[in-house]
Amino acid sequence: MAAFQGEQRRRELAERRRFPLEQRLREHIVGQEGAITTVGAAVRRRENGWYDEEHPLVFLFLGSSGIGKTELAKQTARYLHKDVKKGFIRLDMSEFQEKHEVAKFIGSPPGYVGHEEGGQLTKKLKECPNAVVLFDEVDKAHPDVLTVMLQLFDEGRLTDGKGKTIECKDAIFIMTCNAGSDEIARYALQLRQEALEMNKNRLAENLNDIQTEEITISKQFKENVIRPILKAHFRRDEFLGRINEIVYFLPFCRSELSLLVLQELNSWAKKAKQRHDITLIWDRDVMDVLTDGYNVHYGARSIKHEVDRRVVNQLAAAYEQDLLPRGCTLRIAVDDKGNGADEDGLKRAPRLRLEIVEQGSEGRRLDIMEPLSKEDTTFS
């Protein structure tokens, strides 16, 4: 038995050398090199026995919504556990905003309603004590829930409502938090703007040492701006002291946004082919127009919504109006007629159009009817 376990361990180590965690994360997450490197290094220490066995590994992920915090936690669990359903535990902390909801967390004590059911966390940790546990939006949790979490992080064990102790020193705990996300976004955008100006000057002076779009959060910003925000929010130094790594997620740069747009368009092209036998292609400037729809507060979700609003809505309308013959090639292009100004004199974003690509022709524009307005549907 021992020989089998030793051989299995050797095979796992060889597999991880061939496909390190960082490689897996980069396949699923756009950008966030700093976060990927930090998490990969910490997990490697733990997996190879170079860690404090008395305490679990604890991360705090900071940054705006929709930039990969949850996905990084999920892919880490997928890397470490064959059964990801057991190995990844996700708790939405907005469900634990009231004092009495501590019982939902660890289970009700004897004599109370729900005693036999157990807590949402304790029940799952019993099944997989070395799971990756995600506490999503921990800034919304009640202070009494944070007290339970402090015991969990400090001692690596948790006592449930029945009085039973669950050992979970081998678990990895990840908290996501939106506190300070606006400050991080502003600071990162400022650094990128400064790097852009510097590169322009270097190009003008014919210098070759052009900087990449990668930026680094300074220690002064972490200590002078972010730490006071976290202390004011969590109100206890010992809670912050039990966090092994505070990981910063930054807004996307232009090249990363282009990659997100490409992924989204490729996804819809695949669906169009599978569901309707339609080949979907697009011009290069379409990607630039969609990239301009990025909202720093909503991250990758804003790109997804922009593609839905400006491309998929037209596809669905054209399909409903029977304008898309099966087996056709459909091109997305920028409509020059969509330029100009709106009623307030502001520059209007270019419109996108759909064209049927026929052999030997430039493309036939689809005449998609607009949905009826409220006035059109009002009967006298």
Side-chain angles (χ1 to χ4, degrees):
M1 185 67 178
F4 172 75
Q5 289 177 342
E7 180 60 30
Q8 187 178 27
R9 176 68 177 163
R10 280 192 293 275
R11 281 201 302 268
E12 287 175 357
L13 286 171
E15 183 74 11
R16 283 175 183 159
R17 277 195 294 271
R18 283 199 302 272
F19 302 104
L21 175 57
E22 290 87 346
Q23 182 178 331
R24 162 70 71 88
L25 296 177
R26 289 187 186 103
E27 289 174 359
H28 297 273
I29 295 167
V30 173
Q32 310 307 343
E33 276 298 316
I36 288 172
T37 302
T38 302
V39 171
V43 171
R44 183 171 293 106
R45 294 197 303 267
R46 175 187 175 279
E47 287 301 292
N48 291 283
W50 301 93
Y51 73 110
D52 177 8
E53 65 277 0
E54 294 301 314
H55 302 96
L57 189 55
V58 183
F59 295 100
L60 176 62
F61 288 180
L62 298 179
S64 305
S65 176
I67 52 177
K69 301 193 296 291
T70 301
E71 187 62 25
L72 195 150
K74 193 182 297 182
Q75 292 302 327
T76 302
R78 200 178 296 277
Y79 180 81
L80 295 174
H81 297 280
K82 290 178 181 174
D83 186 355
V84 76
K85 288 184 178 178
K86 276 188 179 180
F88 181 58
I89 302 170
R90 179 179 179 180
L91 295 178
D92 185 350
M93 302 311 286
S94 62
E95 297 178 11
F96 302 91
Q97 298 187 45
E98 304 296 331
K99 182 182 177 71
H100 66 271
E101 286 170 332
V102 174
K104 280 167 49 180
F105 203 61
I106 60 173
S108 303
Y112 285 81
V113 175
H115 166 63
E116 293 301 323
E117 297 175 7
Q120 290 186 23
L121 178 61
T122 50
K123 188 165 60 175
K124 292 176 180 177
L125 274 177
K126 277 180 187 174
E127 295 176 7
C128 187
N130 63 339
V132 174
V133 184
L134 175 64
F135 298 119
D136 220 353
E137 298 189 84
V138 71
D139 44 310
K140 294 181 179 177
H142 190 274
D144 283 11
V145 176
L146 296 182
T147 301
V148 174
M149 290 169 64
L150 179 60
Q151 176 202 347
L152 184 63
F153 299 160
D154 194 42
E155 301 173 8
R157 65 170 67 95
L158 194 59
T159 305
D160 65 10
K162 300 176 182 178
K164 293 182 179 177
T165 299
I166 299 150
E167 294 285 342
C168 45
K169 292 186 172 106
D170 291 331
I172 295 177
F173 296 101
I174 298 173
M175 299 176 285
T176 70
C177 178
N178 290 326
S181 59
D182 289 342
E183 287 79 3
I184 294 169
R186 279 198 298 269
Y187 178 69
L189 291 173
Q190 178 190 338
L191 288 180
R192 285 221 171 93
Q193 186 60 38
E194 289 173 359
L196 186 64
E197 293 297 326
M198 189 180 298
N199 283 343
K200 283 181 181 177
N201 294 335
R202 291 175 187 275
L203 280 171
E205 296 170 13
N206 293 321
L207 297 176
N208 294 323
D209 54 340
I210 303 300
Q211 301 295 315
T212 64
E213 291 183 297
E214 285 299 321
I215 57 173
T216 305
I217 299 288
S218 72
K219 185 177 180 180
Q220 288 83 355
F221 176 78
K222 294 176 184 178
E223 291 297 324
N224 300 335
V225 178
I226 298 302
R227 187 160 285 276
I229 291 173
L230 296 178
K231 284 181 72 173
H233 187 84
F234 292 109
R235 298 178 185 174
R236 55 184 84 183
D237 287 328
E238 65 271 25
F239 188 84
L240 296 176
R242 273 306 309 129
I243 297 169
N244 296 92
E245 297 281 2
I246 296 178
V247 184
Y248 294 81
F249 287 71
L250 308 180
F252 297 111
C253 65
R254 189 77 184 180
S255 61
E256 291 164 355
L257 290 174
S258 295
L259 185 55
L260 287 169
V261 170
L262 183 61
Q263 286 180 353
E264 196 64 25
L265 289 174
N266 281 335
S267 172
W268 281 109
K270 186 178 179 182
K271 290 172 185 173
K273 193 67 178 175
Q274 289 175 343
R275 297 173 184 175
H276 309 294
D277 192 24
I278 291 171
T279 301
L280 191 63
I281 60 175
W282 49 87
D283 295 341
R284 178 66 185 83
D285 50 358
V286 167
M287 293 180 57
D288 294 330
V289 170
L290 293 171
T291 298
D292 290 336
Y294 174 60
N295 184 316
V296 71
H297 299 292
Y298 301 110
R301 293 189 187 100
S302 63
I303 293 293
K304 178 179 172 56
H305 295 158
E306 189 75 357
V307 174
D308 286 348
R309 185 172 64 86
R310 305 194 65 178
V311 176
V312 184
N313 281 354
Q314 289 196 64
L315 289 170
Y319 186 81
E320 184 179 66
Q321 295 166 29
D322 203 20
L323 299 175
L324 304 180
R326 196 168 185 84
C328 71
T329 297
L330 192 63
R331 181 169 66 212
I332 311 167
V334 176
D335 189 353
D336 296 333
K337 295 177 183 177
N339 293 333
D342 58 18
E343 296 174 358
D344 299 323
L346 299 173
K347 187 178 179 182
R348 188 184 295 136
R351 294 185 61 181
L352 302 180
R353 68 174 186 269
L354 300 182
E355 297 177 349
I356 295 282
V357 179
E358 296 169 337
Q359 197 168 10
S361 67
E362 291 185 357
R364 174 172 56 83
R365 177 175 177 154
L366 294 182
D367 188 15
I368 303 172
M369 289 176 57
E370 295 288 337
L372 293 175
S373 65
K374 183 179 178 182
E375 289 74 16
D376 296 327
T377 57
T378 302
F379 294 95
S380 58

